[in-house]
Amino acid sequence: MNSTEATRTNLLGMPRDKLAAFFVARGEKRFRADQLMKWLYHRGVSDLAQMTDLSSALREQLALDTEFRFPEITWNHVSTDGTRKWLIQVEGGGSVETVFIPEGKRGTLCVSSQVGCTLDCSFCSTGKQGFQRNLSAAEIIAQVWIAQAALAEASDSEARLTNVVFMGMGEPLLNLDAVLDAISIMTEDLGYGLSRRRVTVSTAGVVPGIERLGREADVSLAISLHAPFDELRNTLVPVNRKYPIAKLLEACRGYLGTTAARKSITIEYTLMAGVNDQPEHAVALAELLEGFPCKLNLIPFNPFPNSGYRRPSNVAVRAFQARLQRQGFIVTVRTTRGDDIDAACGQLVGDVHDRTRRSDRYIARVSAQDAAQISGTA
Ligand code: SAH
């Protein structure tokens, strides 16, 4: 990157109010922001020359010190069932993954919010590789852009991008500034215009983040619970030591409100054989969540090398589900999608060559189908 590029303002990923302020500071009218957003997010145009309702003088001026900076797609693939996956390289060398799961006319995009993760959940491959950095709002919204562009090109597919879940790599509530800006563009009419109910933030339980999300956005919330007792959850999700289950559920209650997006919270529960899948866990979970407005999503553990955990049998998974259903809970279980491309949402790979060989470096996390179910398209 040369020095001119380094000082250019990236207009991609700027929410409407910031973009308007940017134009006002240059002596332009606020509505320039609206015009620019329509080009970018409605028409998928990132070439200033094509933005013909901006005066040529303004376009020339913008060309001098602004840009639309996208991360690079290093690999992408479409599965036989239509699931699409992209490996995206960001500045600094790290990579994240984005997965699109079609479901009839609807479709869910699973986006990443960080390169790596600081939370180190014991069963999660991202935690094992440490934390590299937060993604910028531009890098998050670029994942939506990339998927939209691919869908626009694929005339054979009727699927539209209707849902977004933050269930790729990273903890979205630890990168909330960028995540909030990206959410604003996802749900803004001049952006992607998605229903707030259909944008889901998934968290391992960062309580202050839940509180701030509640104040500053109105989207669906999913909690990665994975255990009904603090003692067990401390070992699986270490952030539980800081924000134990009671505090977490209290924050969730605070999040609940009157809008469609806030009527109910999704509880994610990754099932690991012999660890958290026993009858006593189901019973304790039902007691813990009694009267709590939620839907449960059970995720049979996705194995990866040296994880130390096993996926329970289908029979065990169904038994766990049935116990909770008998207590009146709505409980969904993952079914497999995009198998031929290892389409596990947010799985990070070492490099592209390994990925194309489907090598044993396969690192599975939540599957694409889980993401679709959680966001309500399944
Ligand atoms: N940091 C966010 C997003 C993580 S990915 C969060 O914790 O919610 C979304 C889900 O995948 C989380 O519920 C996470 O616990 C789960 N997950 C991670 N690794 C997994 C694995 N190997 N098998 C099954 N689910 C996994």
Side-chain angles (χ1 to χ4, degrees), residues 52 95 106 118 172 276 357:
T52 45
S95 291
R106 308 207 289 179
T118 56
N276 64 352
R357 285 206 317 265

Side-chain angles (χ1 to χ4, degrees), residues 173-246:
L173 295 188
L174 290 179
N175 183 19
L176 205 39
D177 289 341
V179 165
L180 286 168
D181 281 358
I183 286 173
S184 155
I185 296 171
M186 288 170 190
T187 56
E188 155 75 54
D189 280 347
L190 291 159
Y192 290 108
L194 298 178
S195 145
R196 287 163 208 285
R197 187 169 52 88
R198 293 191 174 158
V199 173
T200 301
V201 170
S202 175
T203 178
V206 180
V207 164
I210 295 172
E211 291 162 354
R212 183 171 165 211
L213 185 74
R215 287 192 301 271
E216 299 186 30
D218 184 21
V219 290
S220 293
L221 182 64
I223 301 293
S224 296
L225 191 61
H226 310 315
F229 319 117
D230 280 325
E231 211 184 358
L232 176 59
R233 193 165 192 268
N234 284 344
T235 67
L236 300 175
V237 185
V239 75
N240 192 67
R241 293 201 189 97
K242 203 162 175 191
Y243 308 112
I245 294 172

Side-chain angles (χ1 to χ4, degrees), residues 110-111 113-114 117 119 121 123-126 166-173 201-205 222-226 233 237 267-272 299-304 307 309 311 334 345-346 363-367 370 374:
C110 179
V111 297
S113 57
Q114 298 181 313
C117 190
L119 292 182
C121 298
F123 56 92
C124 177
S125 58
T126 301
F166 283 86
M167 291 179 195
M169 281 177 67
E171 170 50 50
L173 295 188
V201 170
S202 175
T203 178
I223 301 293
S224 296
L225 191 61
H226 310 315
R233 193 165 192 268
V237 185
I267 303 288
E268 295 161 88
Y269 195 100
T270 295
L271 285 164
M272 289 159 266
I299 313 170
F301 173 68
N302 287 313
F304 57 90
S307 73
Y309 293 105
R311 173 195 286 244
R334 164 205 116 105
C345 186
I363 303 172
R365 299 183 63 238
V366 62
S367 81
D370 302 331
I374 288 164

Side-chain angles (χ1 to χ4, degrees), residues 58-370:
L58 175 58
R59 279 184 276 149
E60 271 165 34
Q61 204 194 72
L62 289 173
L64 294 176
D65 62 354
T66 70
E67 64 182 335
F68 305 106
R69 194 162 64 245
F70 289 84
E72 205 183 310
I73 305 171
T74 42
W75 181 89
N76 76 89
H77 196 80
V78 188
S79 152
T80 48
D81 66 10
T83 301
R84 289 165 184 267
K85 184 167 185 170
W86 298 265
L87 180 66
I88 295 168
Q89 196 179 344
V90 297
E91 279 165 33
S95 291
V96 293
E97 287 190 2
T98 306
V99 180
F100 177 74
I101 312 107
E103 203 80 43
K105 288 189 177 169
R106 308 207 289 179
T108 298
L109 189 72
C110 179
V111 297
S112 295
S113 57
Q114 298 181 313
V115 188
C117 190
T118 56
L119 292 182
D120 201 22
C121 298
S122 64
F123 56 92
C124 177
S125 58
T126 301
K128 303 280 167 247
Q129 42 144 51
F131 175 70
Q132 216 165 316
R133 71 167 170 85
N134 280 333
L135 292 185
S136 65
E139 289 163 337
I140 297 172
I141 214 67
Q143 297 172 59
V144 184
W145 169 291
I146 286 165
Q148 288 286 45
L151 290 175
E153 233 172 66
S155 49
D156 54 319
S157 157
E158 58 164 6
R160 292 280 158 273
L161 196 164
T162 52
N163 295 52
V164 172
V165 291
F166 283 86
M167 291 179 195
M169 281 177 67
E171 170 50 50
L173 295 188
L174 290 179
N175 183 19
L176 205 39
D177 289 341
V179 165
L180 286 168
D181 281 358
I183 286 173
S184 155
I185 296 171
M186 288 170 190
T187 56
E188 155 75 54
D189 280 347
L190 291 159
Y192 290 108
L194 298 178
S195 145
R196 287 163 208 285
R197 187 169 52 88
R198 293 191 174 158
V199 173
T200 301
V201 170
S202 175
T203 178
V206 180
V207 164
I210 295 172
E211 291 162 354
R212 183 171 165 211
L213 185 74
R215 287 192 301 271
E216 299 186 30
D218 184 21
V219 290
S220 293
L221 182 64
I223 301 293
S224 296
L225 191 61
H226 310 315
F229 319 117
D230 280 325
E231 211 184 358
L232 176 59
R233 193 165 192 268
N234 284 344
T235 67
L236 300 175
V237 185
V239 75
N240 192 67
R241 293 201 189 97
K242 203 162 175 191
Y243 308 112
I245 294 172
K247 285 223 155 51
L248 175 56
L249 292 185
E250 195 184 305
C252 290
R253 280 197 189 88
Y255 191 84
L256 287 163
T258 49
T259 65
R262 297 205 195 187
K263 286 235 166 77
S264 157
I265 284 172
T266 298
I267 303 288
E268 295 161 88
Y269 195 100
T270 295
L271 285 164
M272 289 159 266
V275 174
N276 64 352
D277 68 338
Q278 300 299 301
E280 79 224 43
H281 298 113
V283 170
L285 193 58
E287 266 170 32
L288 181 70
L289 298 176
E290 205 196 320
F292 187 78
C294 64
K295 279 181 273 181
L296 278 149
N297 188 258
L298 303 177
I299 313 170
F301 173 68
N302 287 313
F304 57 90
N306 307 318
S307 73
Y309 293 105
R310 282 178 304 116
R311 173 195 286 244
S313 69
N314 287 345
V315 173
V317 171
R318 293 295 164 195
F320 197 90
Q321 177 187 31
R323 276 178 195 281
L324 289 157
Q325 282 173 330
R326 280 200 295 274
Q327 303 297 316
F329 289 94
I330 298 170
V331 194
T332 50
V333 179
R334 164 205 116 105
T335 47
T336 309
R337 284 286 299 273
D339 251 8
D340 58 323
I341 55 164
D342 293 342
C345 186
Q347 66 188 171
L348 182 85
V349 291
D351 69 40
V352 188
H353 306 295
D354 275 0
R355 161 60 56 201
T356 50
R357 285 206 317 265
R358 275 179 60 104
S359 79
D360 56 7
R361 294 194 59 189
Y362 169 56
I363 303 172
R365 299 183 63 238
V366 62
S367 81
Q369 182 68 5
D370 302 331

